[in-house]
Every structure is written in structure tokens, then in C-alpha cells.
Amino acid sequence: MHLSRPVTAAGFWLGTLLPIAYLPVILAGIDSMSRFSLFVVLLLIHALALVVGHDYSGSRSR
């Protein structure tokens, strides 16, 4: 999968930093369908970001 460098970099950094967004959702509690949906959407976006950012060359040591 060869995407442009900025898209790959954005995917990498989104995949790296997105788990920070899980914390408020989990701390608030997943007690309604809307919060559960939000959590599932965050997981799907995270998975997509990891796939897109997988080939980011800035993530490898030189």
C-alpha cells in the first residue's frame, strides 16, 4: 500500500496518539449505546490509522 508520505505520516501519528482518547471514554463509562458507539468508532479509526501508517519511514530507527 503506497500512499503519499503526508498521509502515511498522519496515519502513523494518529495510530500512535489515538489511544489517549480512549481514557476519557472509559473513565466516563460505557453505559449507553452512544458511548459504546463512540468507543467502537475510535477503535475502527485506530485500526485504519495503524494500517495506513504502517509504512511510515520515520518510525524506524536508522
Side-chain angles (χ1 to χ4, degrees), residues 9-40:
F12 172 79
W13 286 109
L14 185 62
T16 302
L17 298 174
L18 191 61
I20 295 170
Y22 296 164
L23 189 59
V25 175
I26 292 171
L27 289 177
I30 303 175
D31 56 356
S32 67
M33 193 59 173
S34 63
R35 286 194 183 150
F36 178 72
S37 298
L38 173 63
F39 186 69
V40 169

